Amino acid sequence: MPKLIIGVMGAGEKATALDIKNAYELGKLIADRGWVLLTGGRKAGVMDAASKGAKASDGLTIGILPGKDTTDISEAVDLAIITDLGNARNNINVLTAKVVIACGMGAGTASEVALAIKNGKKVILLTEDISSKEFFTNLSPENVLIANNARDAIALVRQIVAQSN
Amino acid sequence: MPKLIIGVMGAGEKATALDIKNAYELGKLIADRGWVLLTGGRKAGVMDAASKGAKASDGLTIGILPGKDTTDISEAVDLAIITDLGNARNNINVLTAKVVIACGMGAGTASEVALAIKNGKKVILLTEDISSKEFFTNLSPENVLIANNARDAIALVRQIVAQSN
Amino acid sequence: MPKLIIGVMGAGEKATALDIKNAYELGKLIADRGWVLLTGGRKAGVMDAASKGAKASDGLTIGILPGKDTTDISEAVDLAIITDLGNARNNINVLTAKVVIACGMGAGTASEVALAIKNGKKVILLTEDISSKEFFTNLSPENVLIANNARDAIALVRQIVAQSN
Amino acid sequence: MPKLIIGVMGAGEKATALDIKNAYELGKLIADRGWVLLTGGRKAGVMDAASKGAKASDGLTIGILPGKDTTDISEAVDLAIITDLGNARNNINVLTAKVVIACGMGAGTASEVALAIKNGKKVILLTEDISSKEFFTNLSPENVLIANNARDAIALVRQIVAQSN
């Protein structure tokens, strides 16, 4: 029986201070519940912060890297999955995660939210970007949920996981 | 010197009547200018209509198929690129097209618009979906352009191509 | 009805003089028959020579590029499919080609021969490398054929195409 | 600092009894040393046996699945990486593993050995298939090593890991 993997997606260099704070807390809460954290694996922004948060609670962290080696990997990633797929690896991120949490918003994150919906996955938006929330909830009311903070997002993950068992 | 390839992205089964009308006209106008048309290749919605439009003007059509064979291919596709990548093939669509035209909106199309922006490609939105236009122009004002009809979209493509030469 | 695409796979920088001579002739013969040529698209070795041969007979040439742009593309490629998949693009090469001709041998070419067999495709070996011929014909006697020269390889392609119609 | 991941590649349904015995022992020895096991993740042949062997020694197991969900996953896989890439996922297998052990031989395994060489990875062959050993050691004497049994293969992995630190 495979372990439950929760994805936290978000910007690298363009992440805001709030995104990074939320990502750290998400990673910590995911690890506290015994879930495995999945991110894009780079040593930047949301990926790095979420992974560090998970390690602060002794969690297990997976990084799905876009390049062909571990250059730029977050030091808090335990398991480096090396894809050499560039942005096509975003589809692996959302397929592998049981639930996807979008922490902040940007072009890469938007592609992951859209791919999650396309693949029928539930995705939780935790962002101050109002137009993304309007667009994606409009696009797929049944798959997109809104969280106001990290604890809220984790509560939604628990509900989704409970319903799918 | 490779030929100029223009991508028309849009929904399959969920395309609206207007999307299909626009897609056909886009395909025709692309072929009229001597450009090559690229779509997702399936025998449905925008992909099929754009390809048929291009063939009506004796254009060349490429289909980037998600599956592992030519099942469900549009009869108007000349060159079937078989990827077996599922939705990860969307990244190939936007990388291969010089300019991407999103005709209508849906989860797959949204992923292509986001991936185009992420890859630094210009993308033209031709859709009645207002919240997608707000979201994507807000996300990347420099890469996202709005067209009101097929002719308008092609005029924008010409400008982009002219500027990049 | 999509056009018939024939793949010619082989080394880039490590191609031998004979490989390059054979590749050019293969490209020319493929174009002479009205088929479309598919290669890995780079400006090197077998890819470049086969594409040039096809253009010498006014053929149409597709290059499936491993990188994220057209850097290093052969000038004889008409249609550049940009994958950003690294070596994972080798699977697209063999899926897209109706028949695969391995011209010479190397690690990349060997991966394409193996992937062709795995995907149930016929593959023709045109190489002086004896141990590759022993290994692959042993691995899949029904899918692997041996050619002694370019004309021989094209005759085998014709037989395979005729049988599959 | 990411954990050390060792890949065991081999046939699914076509694996021999000896391949399966070797795969189980390889998985067990990999876990005994504290390394993480990576396989293709399916509930068949070498993938399943290696994963079971690793779990018998309380190891951690990753499965890189070709499909779009966990259908056919080995029960001994802890972490299911869902790629929906078909055989293109073979490139992720070899990029992610520090060292690749080919246990038995077949078309999929041959593609992984070739891709490992292409990506500059060391690969250890543990197989009765003589022509594959001749071909691949000839193709890349510096990257291909031969093992006579599972313990032998693990000793080679240790040497490679020691040299790369």
Side-chain angles (χ1 to χ4, degrees), chain A residues 76-116:
Chain A
V77 165
D78 295 319
L79 298 166
I81 307 298
I82 302 176
T83 68
D84 199 15
L85 296 177
N87 294 312
R89 74 88 150 76
N90 293 1
N91 201 45
I92 299 180
N93 293 353
V94 300
L95 287 168
T96 299
K98 177 73 180 181
V99 182
V100 173
I101 305 172
C103 179
M105 189 49 59
T109 309
S111 77
E112 285 159 328
V113 174
L115 288 166

Side-chain angles (χ1 to χ4, degrees), chain D residues 57-81:
Chain D
S57 282
D58 285 325
L60 186 64
T61 56
I62 300 174
I64 310 284
L65 293 164
K68 64 183 171 185
D69 54 33
T70 54
T71 307
D72 285 329
I73 192 174
S74 166
E75 286 161 22
V77 166
D78 294 319
L79 298 166
I81 308 297

Side-chain angles (χ1 to χ4, degrees), chain B:
Chain B
M1 182 75 182
K3 294 176 192 291
L4 191 65
I5 300 173
I6 305 299
V8 175
M9 307 291 130
E13 290 72 12
K14 294 181 183 172
T16 67
L18 178 59
D19 296 338
I20 288 174
K21 178 181 162 295
N22 282 335
Y24 185 91
E25 194 174 352
L26 285 169
K28 196 162 188 324
L29 292 169
I30 286 168
D32 284 342
R33 300 213 61 84
W35 300 331
V36 177
L37 174 71
L38 177 146
T39 71
R42 292 198 298 113
K43 187 185 176 65
V46 165
M47 299 172 264
D48 192 43
S51 302
K52 283 177 178 163
K55 293 314 294 177
S57 282
D58 285 325
L60 186 64
T61 56
I62 300 175
I64 310 284
L65 293 164
K68 64 183 173 184
D69 55 33
T70 54
T71 307
D72 284 329
I73 192 174
S74 165
E75 285 161 23
V77 165
D78 295 318
L79 298 166
I81 308 297
I82 303 175
T83 69
D84 199 15
L85 296 178
N87 294 312
R89 75 87 151 76
N90 292 2
N91 201 45
I92 300 179
N93 293 354
V94 301
L95 288 168
T96 299
K98 176 74 179 179
V99 182
V100 173
I101 305 172
C103 180
M105 189 50 58
T109 308
S111 77
E112 285 159 328
V113 174
L115 288 166
I117 296 169
K118 180 73 177 171
N119 287 303
K121 284 281 166 90
K122 301 283 185 191
V123 55
I124 297 165
L125 306 186
L126 173 54
T127 173
E128 295 173 297
D129 181 303
I130 292 170
S131 64
S132 69
K133 289 190 267 199
E134 272 188 26
F135 171 55
F136 286 119
T137 52
N138 186 44
L139 187 64
S140 179
E142 66 282 16
N143 283 313
V144 178
L145 297 93
I146 305 293
N148 292 313
N149 54 54
R151 293 210 161 266
D152 201 8
I154 298 301
L156 289 169
V157 173
R158 291 181 64 182
Q159 285 177 29
I160 296 165
V161 170
Q163 285 164 7
S164 71
N165 286 341

Side-chain angles (χ1 to χ4, degrees), chain D residues 79 103 108 157:
Chain D
L79 298 166
C103 179
V157 173

